[in-house]
Amino acid sequence: MAKRIFGVDLGGTTVKLGLFDEQGELLDKWEIPTRKEDSGSHILPDIADSVKAKMEEAGIEKNDVVGVGIGVPGPVDGKGVIHKAANLGWGVFSIREELAVLLGGIPVEAGNDANVAALGEMWKGGGRGCENMVAVTLGTGVGGGIIVDGKVLSGSNGAGGEIGHIHIVDEEEDACGCGNHGCLEQYASATGVTRLARKRLEKDDKASSLRDGELSAKDVWDAVKAGDELAVEVAEQFGDYLGKGLAAVAAVANPERFVIGGGVSKAGDILFKYIVEPYKKYVFHGSRDAEFVLATLGNDAGIYGAARLVLG
Amino acid sequence: MAKRIFGVDLGGTTVKLGLFDEQGELLDKWEIPTRKEDSGSHILPDIADSVKAKMEEAGIEKNDVVGVGIGVPGPVDGKGVIHKAANLGWGVFSIREELAVLLGGIPVEAGNDANVAALGEMWKGGGRGCENMVAVTLGTGVGGGIIVDGKVLSGSNGAGGEIGHIHIVDEEEDACGCGNHGCLEQYASATGVTRLARKRLEKDDKASSLRDGELSAKDVWDAVKAGDELAVEVAEQFGDYLGKGLAAVAAVANPERFVIGGGVSKAGDILFKYIVEPYKKYVFHGSRDAEFVLATLGNDAGIYGAARLVLG
């Protein structure tokens, strides 16, 4: 029978699972809840049970499974060891080994979820054909996944690609979630964009559609598209900070392409109008021609990337 | 006979060559001039002749040579292709293939000189035992070599690790050699340190031993060691900028260790007094415990790293 791969994307409330063939075609996908009680001790057994149930349902023999890949919300080193995931109640242990035992010896690979999603975008999404790329997730925070020569850069303890915490603004008085002040995430995440907008609104009385009602990142980008001058100022500030941050990333990793995803990226191509010019201004000339594209896999990037992990 | 490796460090005026055993012991080293005339067309043939002469002299058979590694002053991609080295008169071609032909089929590996020196420090110098490290060269400019999982990060077109061109200061009016404004190199290189000192001296009339005579980076650090208050201010500014830049590097690459080399590093451990505290302030917590050490191989880092390239 043809070979199969399972890709698992472990989130704080839901585990997404995907069944793939070796060419990366998604044959089936489903979800199970993430049971965080008892220090997260049910999570891996639940995943193993779900994989085994699917194998039985689809008539897949153990020998036909190339492996199971999993992305988890926490730092995972190159050997598949998680270094604490507080939101799951997990300490330090080898996901690779524990899950493999639960699966009766099927090979397992594990990685950080943002890094794994980057791998998914490289394999089947906006980064297709790129061996050196950076996936940037502009969501609640700013996440990054650095792909070097086709492999995820995990770093010495799994904190590679934490590009949301590059220091950008010296004068920042508010603290980032990480405890530092002036991190990229404070300006380029969804909450960062609304924060920039709120600060701009407070600065003076300039007219803006953003003065009415709630204020979300989507509101800001909708106003930009409608030509709202104040919103455009916010977009320029956002773009200057993000362009500066990505230029620093490029000075280190020299990617061929940036793949932009996450909630803020739903604004679409208009983002690039504000990011690319500052990027080119701040970046070293050797990286000036990097491409900027939108991510294409959405919430499935994680299961694609997890499956890709297995292929090494 | 025991296996041998040649490591070649190609510089603008001199080619350094080293003969190593497979364990990385340096058995012999020598130099030849770099003949740049005729668009640098003599350089690789000269190197091949020198290697072959040494093989004959030392009685080394072709089959006993594992390979020849070479570091060159320009961007080299992961396939051993140089993407222009203006100072050598070189365009785009495969160093790996051309030198291998000149050597009668002995395998060749090539890399950028800063990256290769980093590999040398990882193998036998300050980064020994580290699979994830960053070598920082504080010389005429600021160079970087990023090692990820034991391999050099070259990037998509050989511009990986160009950490001297991370944007640090928004208000900078002077241009960096690269054409941008506010690059790390403008503050943390040898010329950067003297520039910071000169600007500080011009600011007011504060007494300082630096007001007398010539002003070199060494003079500044000597004055710091002697307790000169103005020099200490300069060192603090240098450390703040460099700490901030290396924190950005860590947000991307999450190294276990920074290995600091180059002319400025001759100041010694006192550097760390000024770099580490700002680094810890700006860096993401996952990289806060990175170690800082001095490079130990000096001018031999290039030949060690070139030899290490051959081992993959």
Side-chain angles (χ1 to χ4, degrees):
Chain A
M1 189 182 158
K3 296 288 182 186
R4 294 290 179 257
I5 306 172
F6 289 89
V8 182
D9 182 14
L10 171 53
T13 53
T14 305
V15 184
K16 298 191 188 71
L17 299 100
L19 174 63
F20 295 84
D21 66 19
E22 277 187 297
Q23 284 69 48
E25 187 166 353
L26 178 58
L27 306 171
D28 192 3
K29 66 173 175 172
W30 66 102
E31 297 184 359
I32 59 173
T34 304
R35 287 202 290 148
K36 292 192 284 191
E37 58 263 35
D38 305 325
S39 303
S41 60
H42 305 293
I43 297 174
L44 291 185
D46 285 355
I47 290 171
D49 288 346
S50 184
V51 167
K52 287 189 278 191
K54 181 62 66 179
M55 285 168 63
E56 190 161 331
E57 177 196 320
I60 301 168
E61 300 293 327
K62 201 156 110 180
N63 289 338
D64 295 325
V65 180
V66 183
V68 175
I70 179 169
V72 305
V76 180
D77 68 23
K79 298 184 171 63
V81 173
I82 175 95
H83 291 261
K84 287 189 187 169
N87 50 340
L88 301 175
W90 282 2
V92 180
F93 67 94
S94 173
I95 296 174
R96 186 193 280 175
E97 286 175 19
E98 290 210 9
L99 186 54
V101 169
L102 291 165
L103 288 165
I106 292 175
V108 171
E109 293 295 335
N112 167 267
D113 53 1
N115 291 342
V116 165
L119 205 55
E121 288 289 341
M122 177 193 83
W123 197 28
K124 295 291 172 181
R128 204 186 271 234
C130 276
E131 292 260 286
N132 289 280
M133 56 154 270
V134 173
V136 182
T137 306
L138 306 174
T140 317
V142 171
I146 319 274
I147 307 288
V148 174
D149 294 339
K151 290 187 193 301
V152 165
L153 189 168
S154 301
S156 63
N157 58 21
E162 286 284 0
I163 65 173
H165 302 285
I166 292 176
H167 177 83
I168 297 289
V169 177
D170 284 338
E171 303 76 21
E172 183 61 52
E173 289 176 359
D174 298 340
C176 177
C178 79
N180 288 355
H181 292 74
C183 293
L184 177 59
E185 179 162 305
Q186 292 183 274
Y187 316 99
S189 63
T191 44
V193 171
T194 57
R195 194 168 148 278
L196 286 178
R198 197 166 292 117
K199 294 215 166 200
R200 177 61 193 83
L201 288 166
E202 286 165 5
K203 201 176 121 195
D204 58 33
D205 291 334
K206 181 164 183 165
S208 169
S209 62
L210 297 177
R211 294 199 181 275
D212 313 322
E214 292 288 300
L215 186 61
S216 69
K218 182 175 185 306
D219 294 330
V220 174
W221 288 104
D222 286 346
V224 171
K225 289 174 190 168
D228 185 283
E229 277 183 33
L230 184 143
V232 167
E233 283 180 45
V234 172
E236 287 170 350
Q237 208 180 357
F238 157 90
D240 189 69
Y241 291 150
L242 184 51
K244 196 180 293 180
L246 298 184
V249 173
V252 179
N254 179 224
E256 184 180 343
R257 199 178 292 173
F258 286 96
V259 179
I260 314 287
V264 174
S265 74
K266 289 183 184 156
D269 286 334
I270 194 169
L271 283 176
F272 301 135
K273 181 176 168 188
Y274 296 96
I275 300 170
V276 177
E277 192 181 311
Y279 170 81
K280 285 183 188 288
K281 174 181 156 193
Y282 293 117
V283 81
F284 181 64
H285 53 74
S287 292
R288 197 158 284 153
D289 295 333
E291 302 167 312
F292 284 78
V293 303
L294 293 171
T296 63
L297 299 178
N299 289 332
D300 288 343
I303 54 173
Y304 275 95
R308 180 63 179 74
L309 266 188
V310 171
L311 299 178
Chain B
M1 190 181 154
K3 297 288 183 185
R4 294 290 179 257
I5 306 172
F6 288 89
V8 182
D9 182 14
L10 170 52
T13 52
T14 305
V15 184
K16 298 191 188 69
L17 298 100
L19 174 65
F20 295 84
D21 66 19
E22 277 187 298
Q23 284 69 48
E25 187 167 353
L26 179 57
L27 307 172
D28 192 4
K29 67 173 174 171
W30 66 101
E31 297 184 359
I32 61 174
T34 304
R35 286 201 290 147
K36 292 193 282 191
E37 58 264 34
D38 305 325
S39 303
S41 59
H42 305 293
I43 297 174
L44 292 186
D46 285 354
I47 290 171
D49 288 346
S50 185
V51 166
K52 286 188 280 190
K54 181 63 66 177
M55 285 169 62
E56 191 163 330
E57 176 195 322
I60 302 169
E61 299 293 324
K62 201 157 111 180
N63 290 337
D64 294 324
V65 180
V66 183
V68 175
I70 178 168
V72 304
V76 179
D77 69 22
K79 298 185 173 63
V81 173
I82 174 94
H83 291 261
K84 288 187 186 169
N87 49 340
L88 300 176
W90 282 2
V92 180
F93 67 94
S94 173
I95 296 174
R96 186 192 280 175
E97 286 174 20
E98 290 210 9
L99 187 53
V101 168
L102 291 165
L103 287 165
I106 291 175
V108 170
E109 294 295 337
N112 167 267
D113 54 1
N115 291 341
V116 165
L119 204 55
E121 286 290 341
M122 178 194 83
W123 195 28
K124 295 292 171 181
R128 205 186 269 234
C130 275
E131 292 260 285
N132 289 280
M133 58 154 267
V134 173
V136 181
T137 306
L138 306 174
T140 317
V142 171
I146 319 276
I147 307 288
V148 174
D149 294 339
K151 289 186 194 302
V152 165
L153 189 168
S154 301
S156 62
N157 58 21
E162 285 284 0
I163 65 173
H165 301 286
I166 293 176
H167 178 83
I168 297 290
V169 177
D170 284 338
E171 303 75 21
E172 182 62 53
E173 289 175 359
D174 298 339
C176 177
C178 78
N180 287 355
H181 293 73
C183 293
L184 176 59
E185 178 162 303
Q186 291 184 274
Y187 316 100
S189 62
T191 43
V193 171
T194 56
R195 196 169 147 276
L196 286 178
R198 197 165 292 119
K199 293 214 166 204
R200 177 61 193 84
L201 288 167
E202 285 165 6
K203 202 177 120 196
D204 59 31
D205 291 333
K206 182 162 182 166
S208 169
S209 62
L210 297 177
R211 294 197 182 277
D212 312 322
E214 292 287 301
L215 187 60
S216 69
K218 180 174 187 307
D219 293 330
V220 175
W221 288 104
D222 285 346
V224 171
K225 289 174 191 169
D228 185 283
E229 278 184 33
L230 185 143
V232 168
E233 284 180 46
V234 171
E236 286 169 352
Q237 206 181 357
F238 158 90
D240 189 70
Y241 291 150
L242 184 52
K244 195 180 293 179
L246 297 184
V249 173
V252 179
N254 180 223
E256 184 180 344
R257 198 178 294 172
F258 286 95
V259 179
I260 315 288
V264 175
S265 73
K266 290 183 185 157
D269 287 336
I270 193 169
L271 283 176
F272 302 136
K273 181 175 168 188
Y274 296 95
I275 300 171
V276 177
E277 191 181 310
Y279 171 81
K280 286 183 187 288
K281 172 180 156 195
Y282 293 118
V283 81
F284 180 64
H285 52 75
S287 291
R288 198 158 284 154
D289 295 332
E291 302 166 312
F292 285 78
V293 303
L294 293 171
T296 63
L297 298 180
N299 289 331
D300 288 343
I303 54 174
Y304 275 95
R308 180 64 180 74
L309 266 186
V310 171
L311 299 177

